[in-house]
Amino acid sequence: MKDGADGRADVVIAGAGFVGLALAIALRQGLGPRFTVVVADPALGGPVRDGRASAIAAAARRLLTTIGVWGAVAAEAQPMLDMVITDSRLSDTVRPVFLTFAGDVEPGEPFAHMIENARLIEMLTAKARSEGVVLDPGVVAGFDSDPDGGAFIRATLSGGDVSARLLVAADGARSRLRELAGIPAYGWSYGQSAIVTTVAHEREHGGRAVEHFLPAGPFAILPLTGRRSSIVWTERERTADRIVALSDGSFREELQRRFGPELGDIDVVGPRRAYPLGLSVARSFIADRLALIGDAAHVIHPIAGQGLNMGLRDVAALAEAIVDAARLGLDPGGRPVLERYQRWRRFDTMAMGIATDGLNRLFSNRSNALLLVRDVGLGLVDRLPALKQVFIREAAGLAGEVPKLLRGEVL
Ligand SMILES: Cc1cc2nc3c(=O)[nH]c(=O)nc-3n(C[C@H](O)[C@H](O)[C@H](O)COP(=O)(O)OP(=O)(O)OC[C@H]3O[C@@H](n4cnc5c(N)ncnc54)[C@H](O)[C@@H]3O)c2cc1C
């Protein structure tokens, strides 16, 4: 098929976030320049404003390396060398260490890296452009089935309709396309928000991530390059709004109380923003000629830093299903492709959703019974190296049936 500008494309992707862009790149690399991919997103028109950073698990890093993006950001990515989890009250002066994780998934391959979101998006956008993806700075306002006997889906873009074999909803947590497709999402709000900011500190972090499980929820200190760390600080929604509205001095004071003295004095060097937290999993990841990926399909608690990693697993699975079919001359948006994708991803997604939900409940609660469960459970994990290795491989995204791109293999 020819250029997306003439009203036809093989695949139209709504959303130029991490997952939409990564999928577009993987498809062009797997199927060559004759396979037309359009990515539409109004955000393509301006600077990236996301002040967050993400933990990229080893499997997701392999995908980014394989599609040729990691090399451009590697110098700005901080390897995560170990992780320490403490369980305490805010008033405790000494926070007992509960669980430690260290080590590589393979020799010389850390289980995760921290990278600033804006930088990664910039590099994904540049790579998509250089691979010949058609980048359209407008919304996908809707879609309907094409009059052509159901062989196409017609997406409504700002510049006019585009008919495609497949429309991919990569339009984030409040997916308009999921809504228009009439796909319900199961889930709930946690009544918690994550306050995110960046701090500079006096002492080196040595690649260590620290997560303090405080009564209001986890307070994570995640290492960035230089003497800087990204903070993900969970509070009840109303408290979070109040904290974000504090003066600079009072905000820093509240932050330092939770941050602890280990890394010395801190300076807040990034913007602060609160993100309301919830769990949401779409009842189906597919409809006729439509696939949901990333946050459009599932949103989980950031307690384990896995949301984006799950989105990149969707990318790897969907790209492999499309490329395998198209190479055999089969319809890249046909039912068998979509069903293969859904089978691959739904169980894994539900399992991760339930795991992060359980962790959050366990640690945002001070009931004595729950305290006992978590003390015994985590104490056991900490003493059994083989079990820890299982957890590390799970967190790295290398457990289960892993699609090719996540194993570092080209499609
Ligand atoms: C506080 C916090 C910390 C997190 N930390 C981590 C972490 O450490 N590791 C991790 O793996 N995950 C983490 N996550 C989760 C991660 O940020 C998300 O899972 C990820 O950003 C989802 O990417 P996405 O591409 O699916 O969606 P988004 O990044 O939301 O992108 C969606 C895009 O779609 C566009 N769009 C919307 N509607 C339309 C439309 N109609 N037409 C066209 N475009 C449209 C938007 O402009 C946007 O650019 C965290 C989340 C939070 C809240």
Side-chain angles (χ1 to χ4, degrees):
M1 246 166 251
K2 288 213 248 104
D3 200 290
D6 70 355
R8 281 271 159 114
D10 289 290
V11 175
V12 170
I13 301 172
F18 303 103
V19 304
L21 290 167
L23 178 69
I25 297 166
L27 291 178
R28 291 284 291 187
Q29 291 177 344
L31 293 167
R34 289 172 60 83
F35 194 85
T36 319
V37 182
V38 177
V39 177
D41 189 330
L44 283 166
V48 188
R49 297 198 192 282
D50 192 334
R52 286 175 298 171
S54 295
I56 302 290
R61 206 239 341 118
R62 287 183 192 180
L63 178 148
L64 294 170
T65 303
T66 312
I67 65 170
V69 172
W70 190 254
V73 291
E76 293 150 77
Q78 169 64 47
M80 220 188 253
L81 302 178
D82 68 355
M83 176 150 200
V84 169
I85 295 174
T86 78
D87 185 27
S88 48
R89 291 184 180 80
L90 192 51
S91 52
D92 294 349
T93 37
V94 178
R95 293 178 174 170
V97 171
F98 215 17
L99 187 60
T100 55
F101 282 111
D104 297 343
V105 283
E106 298 289 340
E109 185 179 12
F111 60 89
H113 284 78
M114 284 299 297
I115 177 95
E116 279 146 291
N117 287 8
R119 198 67 195 116
L120 189 53
I121 286 285
E122 278 162 17
M123 286 303 125
L124 281 162
T125 310
K127 184 68 178 171
R129 187 170 288 119
S130 75
E131 291 289 346
V133 173
V134 180
L135 297 175
D136 176 340
V139 288
V140 177
F143 60 88
D144 55 31
S145 53
D146 196 276
D148 216 353
F152 294 92
I153 185 167
R154 197 165 49 193
T156 313
L157 275 64
S158 324
D161 290 354
V162 177
S163 289
R165 292 286 189 182
L166 179 67
L167 173 61
V168 178
D171 52 345
R174 285 194 290 268
S175 172
R176 174 99 181 105
L177 298 194
R178 182 187 65 221
E179 215 178 281
L180 290 173
I183 302 175
Y186 297 123
W188 43 81
S189 156
Y190 287 116
Q192 293 172 315
S193 291
I195 304 166
V196 176
T197 192
T198 306
V199 295
H201 35 76
E202 223 177 342
R203 290 196 273 278
E204 300 287 348
H205 48 54
R208 165 167 292 179
V210 179
E211 194 150 9
H212 296 301
F213 283 120
L214 299 170
F219 180 92
I221 305 169
L222 304 161
L224 297 174
T225 49
R227 282 189 206 139
R228 295 179 311 139
S229 292
S230 170
I231 304 296
V232 182
W233 165 9
T234 311
E235 290 286 350
R236 308 299 309 161
E237 244 164 33
R238 268 212 232 129
T239 316
D241 292 343
R242 187 181 55 73
I243 289 173
V244 167
L246 289 174
S247 67
D248 289 353
S250 309
F251 180 73
R252 189 192 154 286
E253 228 169 82
E254 286 291 334
L255 186 56
Q256 180 91 58
R257 279 175 73 207
R258 290 156 177 88
F259 192 88
E262 289 78 9
L263 296 177
D265 265 354
I266 58 168
D267 272 327
V268 178
V269 293
R272 47 179 122 130
R273 196 180 145 185
Y275 294 82
L277 303 178
L279 173 80
S280 146
V281 180
R283 185 142 106 197
S284 172
F285 289 6
I286 57 174
D288 279 349
R289 299 204 172 274
L290 178 75
L292 311 182
I293 62 171
D295 277 17
H298 44 70
V299 180
I300 60 168
H301 197 288
I303 192 165
Q306 289 291 336
L308 166 59
N309 290 299
M310 280 168 64
L312 291 175
R313 286 175 84 88
D314 301 344
V315 167
L318 183 59
E320 195 168 326
I322 294 173
V323 168
D324 285 355
R327 282 202 184 130
L328 293 171
L330 301 174
D331 181 352
R335 205 73 202 177
V337 169
L338 295 177
E339 273 165 9
R340 183 176 172 208
Y341 162 64
Q342 165 144 283
R343 271 197 309 276
W344 215 336
R345 292 300 303 135
R346 258 192 68 84
F347 176 73
D348 182 45
T349 302
M350 289 308 288
M352 185 60 84
I354 290 166
T356 51
D357 185 66
L359 270 178
N360 184 51
R361 280 169 203 279
L362 199 57
F363 284 101
S364 304
N365 196 310
R366 296 211 74 84
S367 105
N368 284 340
L370 285 177
L371 279 174
L372 185 69
V373 170
R374 75 195 202 206
D375 285 5
V376 172
L378 287 189
L380 261 180
V381 173
D382 207 33
R383 263 169 245 122
L384 292 173
L387 193 57
K388 259 195 195 180
Q389 198 55 32
V390 170
F391 274 87
I392 288 177
R393 287 193 77 75
E394 194 64 58
L398 293 168
E401 195 200 345
V402 181
K404 278 188 193 160
L405 284 171
L406 297 174
R407 297 198 302 256
E409 294 169 25
V410 288
L411 288 177

